[in-house]
């Protein structure tokens, strides 16, 4: 009996070991499969995950343009300012330039000849130009685009055909940044030109103001012309701010769950 019991114990022990061996064999088989097709599949998943990740840095949302539209160009300068800068203006209401999109590009001009008998005549010409920019995914933010145009306008003024004694300097207190460009141009008489280029957020303002004397009249006061031009440019910038400000979003009411 003792020998039979001992043999039965060995059989049960072997029977207990067999499932473990089979399980191990099964794991080994699965592992081998993993080294075949399974391993390729793993690489495919890893590749898919990698391709799902963006190649570059996530794009930053562009800022919303500060100004949504432009003011009426001929109303950017006050009537009394027109009287001061352009005495005897042919049309005090100004002459607007045609534009297909007045919310993006607009301009207006005034001119007049103030005759004073034997003392000669004084000619004045004033022009206001406005250009507004929107943020664009491929071109950049509205302000950045306006800054680029601001620089181009300054260079264009400095490169005016026939300009001499060109002088450019910052004009303080006009928008976010401003530059005055003054120069002379010899035509039938000597013209003195003043250009103020200013940027307020996403809008670029270019104000041109020039004067000349005819029939023996005294030459225009250059310093006074510059002062008048800067003051007029401030009015234009202010009109941009009042006309084109983006409406503020209404405050969102708290949800019932938050109350």
């Amino acid at each position: 009996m003792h020998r039979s019991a001992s043999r039965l114990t060995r059989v049960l022990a072997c029977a207990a070991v067999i499932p473990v061996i089979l399980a191990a064999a099964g794991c080994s088989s699965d592992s081998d499969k993993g080294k075949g097709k399974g391993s390729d599949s793993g690489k495919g998943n890893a590749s898919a995950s990698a391709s799902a990740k963006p190649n570059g840095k996530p794009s930053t949302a562009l800022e919303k343009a500060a100004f949504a539209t432009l003011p009426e160009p001929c109303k950017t300068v006050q009537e009394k300012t027109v009287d001061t800068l352009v005495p005897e203006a042919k049309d005090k209401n100004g002459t607007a330039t045609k534009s297909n999109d007045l919310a993006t590009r607009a301009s207006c001009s005034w001119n007049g000849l103030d005759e004073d008998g034997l003392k000669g005549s004084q000619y004045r010409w004033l022009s206001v130009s406005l250009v507004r920019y929107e943020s664009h995914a491929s071109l950049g933010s509205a302000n950045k685009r306006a800054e680029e145009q601001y620089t181009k306008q300054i260079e264009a003024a400095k490169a005016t055909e026939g300009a001499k004694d060109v002088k450019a300097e910052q004009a303080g207190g006009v928008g976010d940044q401003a530059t005055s460009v003054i120069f002379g141009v010899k035509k039938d008489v000597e013209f003195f030109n003043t250009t103020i280029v200013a940027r307020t957020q996403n809008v670029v303002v270019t104000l041109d103001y020039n004067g000349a004397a005819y029939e023996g009249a005294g030459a225009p006061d250059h310093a006074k012309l510059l002062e008048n031009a800067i003051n007029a440019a401030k009015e234009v910038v202010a009109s941009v701010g009042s006309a084109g400000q983006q409406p503020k979003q209404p405050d969102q009411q708290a949800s019932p769950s938050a109350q």
Side-chain angles (χ1 to χ4, degrees), residues 11 75-76 86 91 128 132 143 154 158 162 179 199 202 212 258:
V11 171
K75 293 183 179 180
T76 56
V86 190
D91 185 352
V128 173
R132 187 183 66 85
N143 281 11
I154 294 171
K158 291 162 64 175
T179 297
R199 182 185 68 84
N202 59 310

Side-chain angles (χ1 to χ4, degrees), residues 7 24 34 41 66 74 91 104-105 109 125 142-143 176 187 203 215 241:
R7 182 178 180 184
S41 176
C74 295
D91 185 352
T104 301
R105 187 180 296 271
S109 63
W125 183 79
N143 281 11
D176 296 313
K187 296 181 181 179
V203 174
E215 301 172 350

Side-chain angles (χ1 to χ4, degrees), residues 162-221:
K164 62 179 184 178
D165 302 324
V166 179
K167 182 180 179 181
E169 58 185 17
Q170 290 186 349
V174 187
D176 296 313
Q177 53 185 154
T179 297
S180 66
V181 181
I182 58 176
F183 54 89
V185 175
K186 181 67 175 178
K187 296 181 181 179
D188 51 340
V189 294
E190 188 77 21
F191 274 79
F192 181 75
N193 295 261
T194 303
T195 297
I196 309 296
V197 182
R199 182 185 68 84
T200 174
Q201 299 278 17
N202 59 310
V203 174
V204 176
V205 172
T206 303
L207 183 144
D208 291 305
Y209 183 46
N210 63 56
Y214 288 91
E215 301 172 350
D221 184 333

